Amino acid sequence: MNADPKSTSTPATGDRPFTRTIGQGNLRQLCSGGAFLLVAIGSLIAGPTPSRSQDIPTAPSFVDDFTSFDRARWYIADGWANGKYQNCIWSKRQVKLSEGVLTLSFEKQKVKDRDFACGEIQTKKRFGYGTYEARMKTDSGSGINASFFTYIGPTDKQPWDEIDFEVLTKDTSKVQVNAYISGKGNNEKVVDVAGGTDKAFNDYAFVWEKDRLRWYVNGQLVNTITDPAKLPSHAQKIFFSLWGSDTMTEWLGPFSDPGRKLTLQVDRVAFTALGQPCQFPESLACSIK
């Protein structure tokens, strides 16, 4: 595995940054020097409340169908890039809401030292064991990553834990699932998405429990981890992001200007804590055990 350190940039705000290292081994190269910088509102950094059914704390269950944008729940990344490998700057202008759909965009727009602007949101609170669900539709294009994931890391004085759905839009017939535990990945699996991630909305979900982690695509189980050494154990924030790179070609594919705005559309996101009733009829939490 070849190292490919990435430099770190500083958010252009006074908020407390998060660091999330990215890399890819096999499909993804592990990078010891790189970091994602993610920002959260300082007043909401305090840990979430415990749940009786869990061994780690969690914020409460919720469903967000994006009929409005809940600023008490979500923070919009704005004004920085995660490193030299990212060819875009996070911009609040790339986060839009229309007719019950959240849209994150990637488009050619000069911002600071980058030629492209891109979108990301994250929750302000942290969540623990339970069912995480997102209904979303990606665009297509080489060199682009469209993702739904959870993350916590060293800036919160926590180990780096992460659970991923990542669509490498060079191939919209598949999605990559992964987990990082104390900064160690190499748990990737690439699974098929019938009909493609870009042709219609698809349902992505994972169920995180103390003794197992399961990923589902459109209600079908696609991956399970039960090895205790490969299971996250720290409450995490929920993220959606759409970004590009013109250097991570082995993983994302070669980047070229798509000549148009690319989008990641999110119709719904939900978290259902373990032991809590399912919150809407289509929820995976209604049917799994």
Side-chain angles (χ1 to χ4, degrees):
M1 180 173 63
N2 297 324
D4 184 17
K6 307 298 191 300
S7 67
T8 300
S9 60
T10 303
T13 75
D15 295 324
R16 180 180 180 182
F18 287 90
T19 53
R20 174 186 181 239
T21 309
I22 189 170
Q24 39 180 67
N26 299 324
L27 289 173
R28 193 168 186 172
Q29 182 180 17
L30 185 61
C31 303
S32 60
F36 265 89
L37 287 182
L38 307 171
V39 175
I41 301 299
S43 63
L44 293 167
I45 291 297
T49 56
S51 167
R52 294 179 183 176
S53 63
Q54 309 204 22
D55 294 330
I56 60 175
T58 185
S61 302
F62 76 90
V63 179
D64 197 333
D65 58 7
F66 295 114
T67 54
S68 62
F69 192 82
D70 187 348
R71 293 188 178 273
R73 175 174 294 133
W74 298 103
Y75 177 79
I76 301 174
D78 184 57
W80 73 95
N82 290 342
K84 289 183 177 179
Y85 58 88
Q86 183 177 310
N87 65 2
C88 59
I89 297 285
W90 298 128
S91 171
K92 62 185 179 183
R93 294 184 178 88
Q94 303 304 317
V95 179
K96 304 290 185 181
L97 204 66
S98 178
E99 298 181 349
V101 174
L102 171 78
T103 299
L104 304 182
S105 301
F106 176 97
E107 68 175 329
K108 192 163 189 176
Q109 184 179 98
K110 184 70 175 179
V111 184
K112 298 184 178 179
D113 62 340
R114 309 297 160 92
D115 291 329
F116 295 88
C118 50
E120 178 183 74
I121 65 169
Q122 62 175 270
T123 58
K124 295 175 179 178
K125 295 181 180 179
R126 308 174 200 171
F127 301 85
Y129 298 137
T131 301
Y132 296 72
E133 305 175 80
R135 182 169 177 80
M136 63 187 198
K137 178 182 178 182
T138 77
D139 216 315
S140 61
S142 185
I144 302 295
N145 184 310
S147 58
F148 158 50
F149 65 97
T150 59
Y151 166 80
I152 201 69
T155 306
D156 285 310
K157 299 181 180 180
Q158 298 287 332
W160 168 19
D161 279 4
E162 182 175 342
I163 306 169
D164 296 331
F165 278 102
E166 294 178 291
V167 178
L168 315 182
T169 59
K170 65 181 181 180
D171 182 358
T172 57
S173 70
K174 303 181 186 302
V175 62
Q176 178 178 302
V177 300
N178 198 6
Y180 281 76
I181 297 85
S182 297
K184 296 180 180 179
N186 296 321
N187 299 309
E188 303 94 343
K189 183 177 180 180
V190 177
V191 299
D192 293 333
V193 180
T197 68
D198 60 331
K199 303 304 182 186
F201 281 90
N202 291 278
D203 293 300
Y204 304 89
F206 62 84
V207 183
W208 176 22
E209 300 168 280
K210 184 177 182 180
D211 58 354
R212 63 180 172 175
L213 177 58
R214 294 173 287 168
W215 287 263
Y216 293 79
V217 175
N218 293 324
Q220 299 300 308
L221 179 66
V222 295
N223 193 40
T224 301
I225 291 178
T226 57
D227 182 349
K230 296 183 176 182
L231 293 171
S233 57
H234 299 84
Q236 302 173 42
K237 296 189 174 187
I238 300 170
F239 293 78
F240 292 95
S241 65
L242 180 67
W243 57 276
S245 173
D246 46 20
T247 61
M248 303 181 77
T249 56
E250 183 180 353
W251 184 39
L252 299 180
F255 176 84
S256 62
D257 184 352
R260 61 184 178 89
K261 180 185 289 189
L262 304 180
T263 62
L264 168 61
Q265 296 176 284
V266 185
D267 181 58
R268 179 179 58 224
V269 58
F271 167 74
T272 305
L274 287 185
Q276 298 299 309
C278 65
Q279 303 178 86
F280 55 98
E282 304 86 357
S283 175
L284 187 67
C286 298
S287 57
I288 61 165
K289 296 181 179 180

